Amino acid sequence: MFGCVTSDHGGGCCEWMDSGDVALLGQGPRHRDGNLAASLVGIIAMGAIVGSTVSGRAIDWLGRRTTMLIVSPVALIGWLTVALAPNLAVVLTGRAICGLATAFLFSAPTVYNSEVTEARMRGRLGTLSSLFITFGVVLSYMAGALFSWRISCYICAAPPLTTFGAMLFVPESPYWLMLKSRKNDAIASLKWLRGPNCDLTEEMSEMEAKIVSVGRKMEYRELWRSRTRKPFLLSLFMMTLQQVCGGNILMMYTGTIFISAGVVDYNMATVYTGLVQILGTVLSVLMVDHAGRRPMIVVSTGIMGTTTVLLGVYYYLTDVEGVSWPSFVPLTTVLLAVFGYCLGCRTIPWLLSAELFNTTIRSTASAVGLFYNRILNFAVIQIYPYFLEEAGAHMVFFVHGGFSLICCLISLIYLPETKGKSLEQIQEYFENQAIKTSGHKVDEINNMKTECSNDVPKESGKSISKVPVENLTVLIVNCAIEEPDKDVSTLSDKDEITNKNITESLK
């Protein structure tokens, strides 16, 4: 697990090196051009957008572990390019390479973590990658505050090396191995993960049955099928929440915000922000399997919304009304907002983007979510300097605070709880939701019926599989018969489903 999540450490460094007080060109924040700052920050997101278009396919083709082994040297090359850059163009090139690497270093570990852990601890180990992202953020903060920008780049190049070395000693994801029909290798991987004396019979049976029910072939249209549509929309909502709540603005432009608020020692204030991030993320990791995903998100967005609106009030009173406030007021407000962000908005979206989907589509869905996340990230950080100039800081934080409170309410109403559930149980929950919905969608059923009829082999009566009773409902949904609530509990798990049975059901 350490080897896997250290890749997020490297991704965190790549993502956050600019953090508002970046002195990559030997300039202090007071002399930074707003467009230059936006370019240095935004180029990371642009690289990630490009990388996310292929990362899902690469993770499915190469494997989760192999992807991390290949991409870690790419991140190293990116940092060395920045460290040795003679001019701004090369700096931007190096940061674009780092952004490209983050598309893989964010997706692959998230998918891997969700697939190798047991249900009772998946929340803690799934969000552990976000903790290492935070370590990457703090490492870049401290390196930038204590050393020259070139030295800080060399320091931030260390995590990719750690990742490569550690990942040599961990096995590939058993789910991916099962997708590739490598059952013996999957058993060996599970034995390494669970221990040689652990009984793997039940876990392997559930894994194999679920892969059989959803199929091994990945198709993008799966994201919009009834059993996957709701988790896909929830994943996109969580990515939207993460970007519009204002947490990334507070952290990417930390130094600039502190300077505008009159904080004298902005370098140390930035380091304090990093330490608060660690505290918030550690609490999130420790509490997510006890409190649950939904309560953590609701509390996180509630804190973010309240404190960000208060920060807007501070700027309104100081900039518009001319009321003088001590510098500890904005510092405290920002620290509370960052703490709230790390309590759930940073960690939970990445966890849910992996655990909501079935094995066949999981890496692709994660990559699509990352693509959408990076587009929003790029838009938010590029718009911020212009929005700040045109509307003022108070309006910027009023808007982000309002978005946070709206997302808090939506999460409270619509976000399902996945605490303590296995990946198979989560999939069954959404499949059952699809069954209920399909009873009211005759047109969709007829379309899917035609699709399934075309997939049935012509040799009627030939046995194609043995399906356990717990997967008969899934089979019925996949074939889209018009009786989704039909009682199949009387069928034995020894019964065979034949092409003739399927054809008759479809008729």
Side-chain angles (χ1 to χ4, degrees):
M1 290 303 299
F2 175 78
C4 181
V5 296
T6 48
S7 63
D8 283 296
H9 190 178
C13 289
C14 292
E15 177 74 10
W16 296 96
M17 183 61 194
D18 202 45
S19 297
D21 189 4
V22 191
L24 282 176
L25 301 177
Q27 302 173 23
R30 294 182 183 276
H31 303 95
R32 291 286 301 280
D33 176 74
N35 293 331
L36 175 59
S39 298
L40 288 169
V41 177
I43 195 68
I44 287 283
M46 288 298 296
I49 289 171
V50 173
S52 62
T53 59
V54 296
S55 61
R57 293 284 183 152
I59 293 169
D60 275 338
W61 182 49
L62 298 171
R64 289 67 161 130
R65 170 181 176 270
T66 304
T67 299
M68 287 183 273
L69 285 171
I70 293 174
V71 176
S72 294
V74 176
L76 175 65
I77 291 172
W79 276 115
L80 293 179
T81 301
V82 176
L84 300 172
N87 53 53
L88 177 61
V90 180
V91 169
L92 294 175
T93 300
R95 288 179 63 77
I97 295 173
C98 288
L100 182 69
T102 64
F104 299 87
L105 294 177
F106 275 31
S107 297
T110 304
V111 174
Y112 185 93
N113 288 346
S114 69
E115 292 181 343
V116 302
T117 55
E118 300 173 75
R120 60 186 177 86
M121 57 194 309
R122 190 177 62 252
R124 278 169 289 174
L125 294 182
T127 54
L128 197 60
S129 59
S130 296
L131 177 61
F132 274 74
I133 290 176
T134 304
F135 286 157
V137 173
V138 177
L139 176 65
S140 64
Y141 280 170
M142 298 185 70
L146 300 176
F147 303 100
S148 68
W149 67 270
R150 292 189 189 274
I151 297 298
S152 66
C153 290
Y154 287 122
I155 293 173
C156 291
L161 289 176
T162 309
T163 299
F164 184 85
M167 287 305 297
L168 292 173
F169 300 98
V170 300
E172 183 55 83
S173 162
Y175 277 88
W176 182 82
L177 293 170
M178 287 296 293
L179 278 176
K180 300 301 179 181
S181 302
R182 294 166 55 181
K183 185 174 181 179
N184 291 335
D185 291 336
I187 293 173
S189 175
L190 270 181
K191 283 184 177 180
W192 192 96
L193 293 163
R194 305 287 186 261
N197 299 322
C198 184
D199 185 5
L200 305 175
T201 305
E202 182 178 357
E203 188 171 1
M204 283 297 300
S205 297
E206 291 180 355
M207 190 186 307
E208 189 170 15
K210 187 56 64 177
I211 289 177
V212 169
S213 70
V214 300
R216 299 177 186 272
K217 184 179 179 181
M218 192 287 297
E219 297 177 330
Y220 280 105
R221 63 180 177 177
E222 171 69 24
L223 290 172
W224 205 248
R225 283 176 174 163
S226 56
R227 66 186 178 192
T228 317
R229 187 184 307 128
K230 185 174 180 180
F232 180 55
L233 293 175
L234 285 172
S235 176
L236 294 184
F237 165 70
M238 295 304 294
M239 296 303 175
T240 303
L241 174 153
Q242 186 184 71
Q243 294 301 324
V244 303
C245 68
N248 286 335
I249 291 294
L250 292 174
M251 289 183 287
M252 287 185 173
Y253 292 96
T254 306
T256 305
I257 292 172
F258 283 148
I259 290 171
S260 66
V263 177
V264 178
D265 193 351
Y266 54 83
N267 278 327
M268 286 309 300
T270 302
V271 174
Y272 296 152
T273 304
L275 297 177
V276 168
Q277 289 180 54
I278 292 179
L279 176 61
T281 310
V282 168
L283 285 177
S284 178
V285 170
L286 295 177
M287 294 173 61
V288 66
D289 278 329
H290 299 287
R293 282 62 158 160
R294 183 169 57 188
M296 295 290 289
I297 277 290
V298 170
V299 171
S300 177
T301 49
I303 294 175
M304 270 297 300
T306 303
T307 53
T308 307
V309 168
L310 289 176
L311 189 61
V313 171
Y314 166 82
Y315 274 107
Y316 177 80
L317 292 176
T318 54
D319 295 348
V320 180
E321 300 295 334
V323 179
S324 179
W325 290 79
S327 60
F328 74 83
V329 173
L331 175 60
T332 304
T333 307
V334 169
L335 293 180
L336 286 174
V338 169
F339 173 80
Y341 176 79
C342 293
L343 201 59
C345 293
R346 166 177 280 176
T347 56
I348 306 298
W350 299 114
L351 173 63
L352 289 178
S353 70
E355 67 179 11
L356 291 178
F357 298 97
N358 64 60
T359 304
T360 304
I361 200 67
R362 184 173 294 122
S363 59
T364 298
S366 180
V368 172
L370 177 65
F371 178 79
Y372 175 72
N373 182 288
R374 295 298 89 182
I375 289 179
L376 283 180
N377 178 264
F378 180 78
V380 168
I381 61 182
Q382 291 298 308
I383 290 173
Y384 170 75
Y386 303 101
F387 191 15
L388 179 68
E389 183 177 351
E390 294 296 326
H394 63 284
M395 187 57 66
V396 171
F397 293 114
F398 282 150
V399 169
H400 285 295
F403 279 138
S404 294
L405 294 176
I406 292 172
C407 289
C408 176
L409 181 61
I410 295 174
S411 299
L412 181 63
I413 298 173
Y414 293 107
L415 189 65
E417 183 55 70
T418 59
K419 179 185 72 172
K421 294 182 174 65
S422 68
L423 294 177
E424 288 75 21
Q425 289 173 327
I426 296 171
Q427 292 168 37
E428 286 176 8
Y429 167 80
F430 287 113
E431 286 163 357
N432 289 334
Q433 292 282 311
I435 290 172
K436 295 176 182 178
T437 305
S438 65
H440 306 284
K441 295 185 177 180
V442 177
D443 292 339
E444 180 180 350
I445 288 174
N446 291 333
N447 292 335
M448 292 177 66
K449 183 190 300 182
T450 302
E451 179 183 328
C452 288
S453 298
N454 294 334
D455 291 338
V456 176
K458 301 302 182 182
E459 298 179 29
S460 179
K462 182 179 178 181
S463 175
I464 58 173
S465 63
K466 294 183 178 181
V467 183
V469 65
E470 62 265 25
N471 292 306
L472 289 174
T473 303
V474 178
L475 178 63
I476 292 171
V477 172
N478 290 342
C479 291
I481 68 171
E482 295 182 6
E483 297 178 68
D485 296 322
K486 181 178 179 180
D487 183 11
V488 295
S489 61
T490 58
L491 294 177
S492 167
D493 61 355
K494 295 181 180 179
D495 290 340
E496 292 186 355
I497 305 301
T498 64
N499 296 336
K500 183 177 180 181
N501 298 145
I502 296 175
T503 303
E504 290 176 349
S505 295
L506 288 171
K507 290 179 182 178

